[in-house]
Amino acid sequence: MTAGARPAPATDRADLLHDDGEPVDFDSHDPRHARDPFTALDALRDRCPVSWTGAWEGHWVVTGHREAVRVARDPRFLTSHVRPDGALQGASIPTIGQTGRLVPLEMNVPESLGYRKLIAGFYAPSRVAARAGEFRRLADACLDDLVREGGGDLVRALTERLPSILTLRDIGLPEDRWEEVDALVEVALLSAPHDPDRARDAAQELCMMIVEEMEERRDGSGGGLLTELLTTTLHGRPVPDEAIVSMMYVLLLGIHPTSALTATALWHLAQDPGLRARLATEPGLIPGAVDEFLRWLSPIQSTVRTAAEDLDVGGTEVRAGDRVFLSWAGANRDPSVFPDPARLVLDRDARGHLAFGAGAHYCVGAAAVRAMFGTMLEAVLRRMPDYALDPRASVSWFPDVSFFHGVTSLPVVTRADRTAGGASWER
């Protein structure tokens, strides 16, 4: 399907339908959904905003906006639930907490709130806004080689590099290890559903990297979140080491969705020259358009809850212990909230989108994601406004929309001014 156009009717995707025309059991790990998860989600929502799928031992799939908000804001839908057999049911299907429970993501209210506050201040909108110059200088530095050479992979050069470096900088890890970190995160995510041992090995290697840096900072030296968390308290006690490691690991998991959001937006703009030209000549439109891009793309497609008791969701009885898959992507394309939802409309009021979730587990780093995305988009349109997809190479997509949706390789060519906007890596 062409980006920005209406998705094809469900009947045009026979691979996603049973012989009787009903949707096939939805499996977010199915690589058929990689480029277009929306056709299947639209079919589910049109049938019922709360649908049952037999995939992964069975669970509910919530694709309606109203129903997704209802579940996300109800503390009786748990992000952490221990089954009678002792297995943890967390915020994904299957559980990806290879390092144990993910903090604070897989903590229930009110336990999660104290941990959220430990990092929420670091990513407060005012604090992020004060770093605008730092973000812009880094974006320009990332683009220098690509502009000079007349093309390359925008993901490797910019959209993965910038959020990786900034995240490592925020945590207090060596910035020059960003490629190593990215590779391990990708293995941990991609292997999680089908090769849990390989995923666990990658996750533990990342956590050991964090632990080693923590040991260097116990005297309060250095900067970043590691030092901040090692020198603060929670409820009058030092923050547990395992919680610090888990929180930093969760931050690393946010690198790829930020990259995919930006790369997929740039992929779309390469095929919509009118929209690209408008944003390039009127960069002041970008901050206001960020929420519409987030709604339209839903880089983090979903999260999972477990019902603590029998509950009604949109007229559907969900029983205690049932798993509930909240499709942010489905909710963000709900036509009852966003008319003509498959169209990217720059001046749409998209503030009701659920790309960052809702309720007590709303994304702590939302302000930073918005700022990184806007900065990277503006930098590309300023430095290389005539970029085009490289016909000699292929665009690639992450094959598993359970964790994030979007482009993971974006080869482009450009004839932009090769001398414009050079920058150093200085903050």
Side-chain angles (χ1 to χ4, degrees):
M1 130 182 135
T2 301
R6 293 174 182 272
T11 52
D12 291 347
R13 289 286 303 276
D15 58 328
L16 299 178
L17 300 176
H18 290 295
D19 291 340
D20 62 1
E22 294 295 336
V24 173
D25 281 350
F26 181 74
D27 181 357
S28 60
H29 298 293
D30 189 331
R32 290 178 298 172
H33 301 308
R35 182 163 173 166
D36 171 26
F38 304 105
T39 294
L41 295 172
D42 288 347
L44 285 177
R45 190 182 52 251
D46 290 348
R47 181 185 180 190
C48 182
V50 183
S51 305
W52 179 261
T53 176
W56 298 95
E57 300 181 342
H59 56 272
W60 297 101
V61 180
V62 178
T63 50
H65 187 279
R66 179 176 60 184
E67 292 79 11
V69 171
R70 149 88 170 90
V71 173
R73 291 180 175 171
D74 190 332
R76 295 173 296 178
F77 287 97
L78 310 175
T79 60
S80 179
H81 172 71
V82 179
R83 299 192 317 196
D85 63 3
L88 172 71
Q89 291 185 162
S92 63
I93 296 175
T95 295
I96 63 166
Q98 305 97 342
T99 60
R101 190 169 56 157
L102 297 176
V103 180
L105 182 61
E106 293 180 331
M107 286 180 164
N108 299 315
V109 176
E111 182 185 17
S112 64
L113 300 179
Y115 287 93
R116 283 178 57 86
K117 290 179 181 178
L118 291 174
I119 53 178
F122 195 91
Y123 289 110
S126 59
R127 192 164 180 175
V128 171
R131 301 175 65 186
E134 174 192 351
F135 285 22
R136 180 166 177 165
R137 287 189 293 274
L138 180 54
D140 275 328
C142 288
L143 284 174
D144 279 347
D145 287 344
L146 188 146
V147 172
R148 187 179 305 111
E149 295 168 7
D153 182 4
L154 266 173
V155 171
R156 180 175 176 80
L158 174 68
T159 71
E160 202 165 273
R161 192 176 192 177
L162 181 142
S164 297
I165 289 173
L166 287 175
T167 302
L168 295 182
R169 186 178 290 176
D170 293 346
I171 292 172
L173 293 172
E175 298 171 18
D176 59 2
R177 300 184 72 176
W178 74 268
E179 290 179 287
E180 176 188 359
V181 168
D182 271 12
L184 288 169
V185 170
E186 187 163 330
V187 170
L189 292 177
L190 189 55
S191 303
H194 309 294
D195 191 347
D197 290 338
R198 186 166 183 244
R200 187 177 302 108
D201 289 345
Q204 290 179 347
E205 191 169 342
L206 284 165
C207 290
M208 283 306 301
M209 191 183 302
I210 296 168
V211 169
E212 289 168 3
E213 193 63 34
M214 285 173 62
E215 294 306 313
E216 299 292 325
R217 293 168 178 267
R218 290 198 183 276
D219 61 357
S221 62
L225 275 164
L226 277 181
T227 300
E228 195 169 301
L229 292 172
L230 285 167
T231 56
T232 192
T233 59
L234 178 64
H235 307 310
R237 298 180 178 179
V239 183
D241 282 3
E242 61 271 22
I244 295 176
V245 172
S246 186
M247 285 189 283
M248 299 305 96
Y249 179 69
V250 170
L251 290 181
L252 294 176
L253 294 179
I255 292 171
H256 281 73
T258 304
S259 172
L261 165 68
T262 312
T264 311
L266 291 167
W267 168 79
H268 172 66
L269 292 175
Q271 301 167 88
D272 191 336
L275 183 59
R276 178 177 56 178
R278 185 182 177 197
L279 288 173
T281 56
E282 301 179 70
L285 294 173
I286 293 175
V290 167
D291 280 314
E292 173 65 353
F293 276 105
L294 283 160
R295 179 203 69 81
W296 186 67
L297 289 168
S298 298
I300 294 181
Q301 294 263 298
S302 64
T303 192
V304 176
R305 302 285 190 267
T306 301
E309 57 188 78
D310 293 353
L311 295 162
D312 178 272
V313 181
T316 297
E317 181 186 358
V318 177
R319 296 180 180 177
D322 283 356
R323 303 283 271 148
V324 182
F325 179 97
L326 297 183
S327 173
W328 306 133
N332 284 338
R333 296 286 184 105
D334 188 334
S336 71
V337 179
F338 305 106
D340 203 2
R343 287 187 60 229
L344 179 66
V345 182
L346 289 185
D347 56 358
R348 184 197 301 270
D349 182 357
R351 288 174 294 179
H353 73 78
L354 302 178
F356 293 124
H361 289 279
Y362 183 85
C363 177
V364 167
V369 173
R370 284 190 171 97
M372 287 188 282
F373 170 63
T375 298
M376 289 190 281
L377 192 61
E378 186 276 334
V380 170
L381 296 176
R382 171 169 47 85
R383 298 289 303 281
M384 39 192 292
D386 65 337
Y387 77 94
L389 300 181
D390 188 340
R392 302 163 299 179
S394 300
V395 174
S396 64
W397 298 72
F398 194 74
D400 191 325
V401 297
S402 296
F403 307 123
F404 66 89
H405 160 61
V407 168
T408 56
S409 177
L410 186 64
V412 299
V413 292
T414 179
R415 296 183 301 277
D417 179 0
R418 300 183 184 186
T419 64
S424 70
W425 290 88
E426 299 297 324
R427 301 190 192 186

